[in-house]
């Protein structure tokens, strides 16, 4: 089949040559030359997925993050069903759910997986973020990744928290805790304690008491105070276990111990503020006759 006087094979070869030329300029540290070839390639083949997709990596290699983001946006508009794009966006989302320690363990030659690119997902428009999260959560068989996807959705769009009713919150917490006492348990419990619980406790869309509506009539999820106390207990068990394991490996007070105590203290503060007894832990109310729950 002819395309503007060229066969498909000929066009593919031209695209391959342009991409190779861009990469060659980058290898020679000729960033200006590489940028010019990227612009030329995108202009000559605006309908080529190969060119438009490779331009994302080329822009990133040239330090042009904004241009790379715009290329991703254009790809989502014109090639939303392309398997390579879907996989790429899912990888970006997965990276966004990782902490620095997890990112450092990722083994891949693609520059996009470097730690400095971890926040690229957050720079995408909200509608693309939401679409990628929902697609990934709906298709993955990895329960932990599915939970992380939903957590990420609530982080990038806090206003969506009320759309998850009490039953959904309960199922999420139960799902994270369903793993047995084997190795998988650590991953799920870490997800629950470090991500799920702080997000819910700190959210202004989650309160204590009977169901109410916010100023703009947005629904606020209301939970009994016992939910927050149970979550605090789970967190305390998790962090003290981490400290005990650290002590068995290291005789000295380690950075892990300090981090665990700090995170537990932060959560205690959030729960106290949420449940109305912040003054107690701040030492403003002392004595049994002054403690009012």
């Amino acid at each position: 089949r002819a395309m503007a006087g060229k066969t498909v094979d000929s066009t593919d070869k031209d695209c391959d040559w342009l991409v190779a030329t861009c990469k060659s300029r980058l290898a020679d540290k000729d960033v200006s030359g590489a940028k010019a070839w990227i612009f030329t390639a995108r202009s000559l083949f605006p309908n080529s997925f190969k060119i438009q997709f490779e331009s994302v990596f080329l822009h990133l290699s040239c330090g042009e993050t904004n241009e790379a983001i715009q290329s991703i946006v254009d790809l989502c508009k014109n090639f939303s069903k392309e398997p390579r794009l879907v996989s790429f966006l899912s990888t970006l989302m997965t990276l966004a759910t990782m902490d620095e320690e997890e990112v450092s363990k990722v083994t891949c030659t693609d520059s996009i997986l470097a730690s400095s690119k971890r926040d690229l997902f957050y720079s995408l428009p909200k509608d693309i973020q939401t679409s990628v999260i929902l697609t990934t959560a709906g298709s993955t068989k990895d329960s932990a990744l599915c939970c992380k996807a939903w957590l990420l959705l609530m982080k990038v769009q806090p206003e969506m928290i009320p759309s998850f009713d009490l039953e959904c919150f309960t199922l999420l917490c139960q799902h994270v805790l369903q793993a047995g006492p084997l190795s998988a348990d650590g991953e799920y419990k870490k997800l629950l304690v470090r991500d799920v619980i702080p997000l819910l406790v700190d959210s202004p869309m989650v309160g204590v008491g009977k169901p109410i509506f916010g100023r703009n009539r947005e629904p606020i999820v209301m939970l009994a105070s016992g939910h927050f106390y149970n979550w605090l207990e789970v967190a305390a068990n998790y962090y003290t276990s981490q400290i005990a394991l650290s002590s068995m490996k290291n005789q000295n007070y380690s950075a892990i111990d300090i981090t665990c105590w700090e995170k537990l203290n932060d959560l205690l503060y959030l729960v106290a503020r949420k449940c109305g007894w912040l003054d107690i832990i701040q030492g403003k109310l002392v004595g049994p006759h002054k403690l009012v729950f």
Side-chain angles (χ1 to χ4, degrees):
R1 185 163 63 90
M3 294 180 60
K6 291 189 177 184
T7 64
V8 175
D9 288 342
S10 176
T11 300
D12 285 343
K13 289 180 180 178
D14 289 342
C15 291
D16 291 338
W17 181 83
L18 285 167
V19 171
T21 300
C22 292
K23 292 181 177 180
S24 176
R25 292 302 177 97
L26 283 173
D28 294 336
K29 308 298 182 182
D30 182 7
V31 177
S32 298
K35 291 180 180 179
W37 277 106
I38 295 172
F39 178 80
T40 300
R42 296 194 67 186
S43 300
L44 287 174
F45 299 99
N47 298 319
S48 168
F49 172 76
K50 181 182 295 184
I51 286 291
Q52 304 305 320
F53 185 70
E54 289 291 342
S55 69
V56 175
F57 299 92
L58 294 169
H59 280 307
L60 288 174
S61 298
C62 291
E64 299 180 321
T65 303
N66 291 335
E67 288 78 1
I69 292 170
Q70 185 57 51
S71 294
I72 295 173
V73 172
D74 293 341
L75 282 165
C76 290
K77 290 180 180 178
N78 302 317
F79 305 96
S80 60
K81 303 300 183 182
E82 282 285 342
R84 288 181 66 191
L85 176 62
V86 173
S87 176
F88 168 71
L89 292 174
S90 180
T91 298
L92 280 185
M93 191 222 73
T94 302
L95 259 180
T97 68
M98 295 181 178
D99 56 30
E100 293 183 2
E101 181 182 353
E102 290 172 324
V103 171
S104 66
K105 296 178 181 178
V106 174
T107 304
C108 186
T109 56
D110 282 342
S111 61
I112 191 61
L113 290 178
S115 179
S116 60
K117 303 300 188 293
R118 185 178 51 146
D119 295 329
L120 189 61
F121 180 83
Y122 293 107
S123 300
L124 297 174
K126 288 293 180 66
D127 60 327
I128 294 179
Q129 291 179 349
T130 302
S131 176
V132 173
I133 291 172
L134 293 175
T135 299
T136 302
S139 61
T140 184
K141 295 182 180 179
D142 184 339
S143 298
L145 178 58
C146 183
C147 289
K148 289 179 180 179
W150 287 115
L151 281 167
L152 184 60
L153 179 61
M154 288 188 282
K155 286 180 179 178
V156 299
Q157 296 202 50
E159 66 275 11
M160 294 194 69
I161 290 180
S163 65
F164 299 92
D165 58 14
L166 177 58
E167 180 181 359
C168 187
F169 280 127
T170 303
L171 287 174
L172 177 60
C173 293
Q174 288 177 346
H175 178 72
V176 175
L177 289 172
Q178 275 176 355
L182 301 178
S183 58
D185 180 63
E187 179 184 9
Y188 285 104
K189 197 166 279 188
K190 175 182 177 182
L191 179 62
L192 174 67
V193 173
R194 295 191 179 185
D195 296 287
V196 178
I197 292 177
L199 178 66
L200 298 183
V201 175
D202 194 36
S203 173
M205 309 308 294
V206 178
V208 181
K210 298 179 180 180
I212 61 173
F213 288 88
R215 292 181 179 178
N216 299 319
R217 299 299 295 171
E218 71 275 12
I220 298 179
V221 176
M222 305 301 290
L223 304 175
S225 58
H227 281 82
F228 299 96
Y229 303 151
N230 288 338
W231 292 345
L232 184 59
E233 180 182 9
V234 170
N237 288 336
Y238 172 80
Y239 285 124
T240 52
S241 295
Q242 293 297 304
I243 293 171
L245 289 172
S246 173
S247 300
M248 293 173 63
K249 298 177 182 178
N250 190 343
Q251 295 295 328
N252 299 320
Y253 201 62
S254 69
I256 295 178
D257 300 335
I258 297 174
T259 300
C260 287
W261 285 123
E262 288 178 343
K263 288 185 177 296
L264 182 57
N265 180 72
D266 291 344
L267 184 61
L268 175 63
Y269 175 87
L270 292 176
V271 172
R273 185 179 65 182
K274 181 73 71 175
C275 295
W277 40 272
L278 185 59
D279 285 344
I280 296 175
I281 66 170
Q282 289 180 332
K284 295 180 181 179
L285 297 176
V286 183
H289 298 295
K290 295 183 179 181
L291 299 182
V292 180
F293 292 91

